[in-house]
Amino acid sequence: MTPAIGIHDLAVATSRHMLTHAVLADRLGTDPAKYQRGLGQDAMSIPGDDEDVVTMAAAAAAPIVERHGASRIRNVFFATETGVDESKCAGLYLHSLIGLPSQARVVEFKQACYGGTAALQLACAAVARDPSRQALVIAADIARYDLDSAAEPTQGAGAVAMLVSADPAVAVIDPVSGLFSSDIMDFWRPTYRSTAVVDGRYSVSAYLDAIEHAFDDFRRLGGADLREFERFCYHQPFTKMAFKAHRHLLEHAGLPVTDEAVDAALADTTDYNRAIGNSYTASVYMALASVLDSTSDLTGRRIALASYGSGCVAEFLSLTAVDGYREQLRSEANRAAIGNRNPLSYSEYRSLHTDRTTAHDGSRASTGDSGGMYRLSGFEEHKRIYHARQPAFSAKVGH
Ligand code: COA
């Protein structure tokens, strides 16, 4: 019989800088309540010139490797829509930075904000095939939109690293999940652009529609009733979206839609994303980390995870928090990663928003030092040069 498979450990990282929505609202002459109440955002993470998805991923994954060792990791699945190279996967840059094993399959996954869920599911499948092995899944992204666009207040950046194993110490991922895919143009980023193109209002309705269909598929395959879930972690391009989505699902299921019911279902799931902003494929796992790190004891409780990636693919999953999960958490470190960011002035933010592709000759040094454990120090002959402030952990025997 296949053992229970799921998340054995998870850790969060974000950029070292942030912009508050109060500063943004002031400079754009917008009512701050539009951002804080209308979108449900207080701040957004902004990467420094020496930060990218690799540095954030390394900051999230390194403590996991330090705790468990890397010797049982057979697969490294890196999900991002902010890849650093059109050919080489971002996960390979992590290899030397955090000491991953040579006998590993390292691959990148992309499907907008859904990629992390594809990586997680394929990691579960790989562990089912050989339960003595583990998989490292990383979801990391930088959400960037054009300055002065409607989407500008929904930027952000972050990474979530998860160790997937048999008999997991944090949460079991139930085998039944619901899927929905459709070829639409609600949000995309052509390879020649550094900011996304988005039809914002359409993306909101496409998201609701896709989650509804994924949930229907989940139910058709024998998945639990909405009432059997204690919490709902939604993809949060802005946290208000989770509230819209839950109201929509309750209505669709013919259940009473009250503020109390929605607030209870989403309690503690939006705290991290309110402060980080959109982290694309990491966002739904930020919601999961946020609720697991909260004071609520969810032992033995079902948690729904609703993943959406524009374009579009959606998946509705069910997780169960296992006995003793709270002892595994990294709540203090996760909160510190968010709480210790450097607040930017509006002009500092604008200068970091510039297109950060390398110079034509392929060489330049990064501007400034954000102070993170891992840095992109620059480019030499088109090669990205990373530095770690601490040496990679030597591979320990995992447990
Ligand atoms: N006080 C309180 N709330 C206010 C307000 C104020 N002064 N002014 C506006 N609001 C509310 C609006 O009523 C609206 O709430 P509602 O959606 O519950 O009705 C919310 O703030 C947003 O206002 P809206 O006018 O719709 O914002 P917008 O047109 O500037 O853009 C998005 C909103 C989401 C379309 C835009 O941010 C975007 O394109 N984001 C990127 C795409 C995205 O994140 N898509 C999500 C699915 S993937």
Side-chain angles (χ1 to χ4, degrees), residues 282-323:
S283 153
V284 70
Y285 299 99
M286 287 287 179
L288 179 64
S290 180
V291 73
L292 292 175
D293 283 347
S294 74
T295 51
S296 312
D297 184 359
L298 297 170
T299 307
R301 305 299 179 132
R302 254 186 228 277
I303 302 168
L305 201 130
S307 182
Y308 174 75
S310 292
C312 71
V313 181
E315 183 161 354
F316 192 96
L317 298 90
S318 162
L319 281 66
T320 307
V322 306
D323 207 13

Side-chain angles (χ1 to χ4, degrees), residues 95 164 168 264 302 325 384 387:
H95 214 266
V164 174
R302 254 186 228 277
Y325 81 92
R384 298 176 88 85
H387 280 121

Side-chain angles (χ1 to χ4, degrees), residues 31 33-34 38-39 145 150-151 154 198 200-201 203-204 207 237-238 240 244 308 310:
D31 179 356
K34 172 171 176 182
L39 295 176
Y145 295 100
T154 63
V198 60
R201 296 268 165 87
S203 72
V204 170
Y207 172 125
F238 49 96
K240 184 81 172 289
K244 286 180 193 288
Y308 174 75
S310 292

